[in-house]
Amino acid sequence: MRQIININRKWAFTKDFSEIPAAVPEKWNFVNLPHTWNAIDGQDGGNDYYRGTCCYIRELDREELPEADRYYLEINGANSSADVYVNGKKLAHHDGGYSTWRVDITEEIDVKTLIAITVDNSPNEEVYPQMADFTFYGGLYRDVNIIAVSNSHFDLDYYGAPGIKVTTEVNGADAKVEVEVFITNAMEAQTLVYTIKDVHGNIIAEEAKDVSVTKTVLDIPNVNLWHGRKNPYLYTAEIKLVAGNDVLDNVSVRFGCRTFKIDPEKGFILNGESYPLRGVSRHQDRWGIGNALLPEHHKEDMELICEVG
């Protein structure tokens, strides 16, 4: 079954390099992720804001990894363009600093595997925006993981997407939930088990389908409607890819059921009730940290946004 191994700790980092080294350089600085090289110069107004290409390197021991058929490197945020090298071989390029992307590194895995990620926050015509009222922090400013999966798995190759799509439709007191999944290397005799759970984890709908049936509709009787802060009720859709008694892979996503419309006189209508919308602009950065926020910083930001209404 899918396993996710976080590799945020102890990356060698430098702004000054001319080529990808063959080993972890001892004289580079060592940093933990999330990390940005603009935590100070991107905020202090000292006219020394660095925009260029920097390099992160980490050695991966085969013993760190569980047994699996395929291994993906998952990068949740590299601002703003990046390249991935594994044991000196360039495997991928990505433009855009605000999205997850993945690289299949299976064929390059060895007893010792050297991962190098170059990240560039220089102005370029491939990344939007390039002019704004915020700093374009450079760095691996979100988590980096290894995802270990079987040959048959929910898709990991399509633009960092989760391999699952949920669409809801409210009908009176009930709801229909359309669940669609995307699978890599599906095989005969495999089964998909679709499950809907309530907020407490209780199963309220479940059915098994042949692996060829990648879209199905499940019913939620007496649906509990998501209603913003008044009732932020979320269900969970969980799908397992099964062969015999073995779970090969699983994915899940939380979702809410609600109706909405926009009325020119009454404004936004949620579940048949007028619901005022109040916006707030949030820049994900902090003094001395830049955009490399930790979970507790994100949580505090959300609490402050709720506090102001």
Side-chain angles (χ1 to χ4, degrees), residues 18 36 67 70 92 95 121 129 134 143 169 171 180 200 221 223 232 258-259 268 295 301:
S18 58
T36 175
E67 288 298 323
R70 311 299 303 177
D95 290 310
N121 69 334
F134 54 84
D143 288 349
E169 180 183 355
N171 295 309
E180 183 176 6
H200 303 295
V223 65
R258 77 285 182 269
T259 65
F268 183 74
D301 281 359

Side-chain angles (χ1 to χ4, degrees), residues 7 9-12 20-25 56-66 71-73 84-91 103-117 144-146:
I7 55 169
R9 290 187 58 78
K10 200 173 182 182
W11 288 77
I20 303 299
V24 177
Y56 296 84
I57 287 187
R58 189 187 194 279
E59 188 175 74
L60 195 66
D61 289 339
R62 184 65 181 83
E63 294 180 354
E64 294 182 57
L65 302 177
Y71 298 94
Y72 284 80
L73 178 70
V84 168
Y85 301 80
V86 179
N87 294 330
K89 181 179 179 180
K90 183 176 178 178
L91 296 187
V103 184
D104 187 342
I105 63 172
T106 308
E107 305 306 324
E108 309 306 322
I109 294 286
D110 208 334
V111 176
K112 299 287 187 181
T113 303
L114 196 72
I115 297 174
I117 305 174
V144 174
N145 302 311
I146 299 292

Side-chain angles (χ1 to χ4, degrees), residues 255-306:
F255 67 94
C257 298
R258 77 285 182 269
T259 65
F260 67 92
K261 67 177 181 179
I262 297 175
D263 185 281
E265 302 298 328
K266 299 178 181 180
F268 183 74
I269 308 298
L270 178 65
N271 300 324
E273 299 179 13
S274 176
Y275 193 92
L277 297 179
R278 301 184 179 95
V280 60
S281 175
R282 180 204 181 217
H283 288 200
Q284 60 161 45
D285 60 3
R286 289 192 173 213
W287 179 253
I289 297 174
N291 66 342
L293 301 189
L294 297 172
E296 54 265 34
H297 301 138
H298 292 292
K299 182 176 184 294
E300 185 178 53
D301 281 359
M302 294 304 105
E303 290 172 347
L304 291 170
I305 289 171
C306 288

Side-chain angles (χ1 to χ4, degrees), residues 146-158:
I146 299 292
I147 304 179
V149 290
S150 65
N151 275 324
S152 298
H153 57 269
F154 294 104
D155 185 71
L156 289 165
D157 291 296
Y158 187 72

Side-chain angles (χ1 to χ4, degrees), residues 86 103 112 123 130 145 178 185 209 219 309:
V86 179
V103 184
K112 299 287 187 181
Q130 285 297 338
N145 302 311
E178 180 186 275
N185 296 327
K209 298 283 188 180
D219 295 316

Side-chain angles (χ1 to χ4, degrees), residues 7-73:
I7 55 169
N8 281 356
R9 290 187 58 78
K10 200 173 182 182
W11 288 77
F13 169 79
T14 189
K15 296 179 181 178
D16 184 18
F17 74 105
S18 58
E19 60 184 9
I20 303 299
V24 177
E26 295 182 358
K27 294 185 178 181
W28 288 14
N29 294 321
F30 284 88
V31 300
N32 293 329
L33 309 182
H35 174 263
T36 175
W37 59 77
N38 299 122
I40 296 175
D41 64 31
Q43 298 179 328
D44 63 6
N47 200 31
D48 56 351
Y49 167 40
Y50 181 78
R51 301 187 71 178
T53 301
C54 298
C55 187
Y56 296 84
I57 287 187
R58 189 187 194 279
E59 188 175 74
L60 195 66
D61 289 339
R62 184 65 181 83
E63 294 180 354
E64 294 182 57
L65 302 177
E67 288 298 323
D69 297 321
R70 311 299 303 177
Y71 298 94
Y72 284 80
L73 178 70

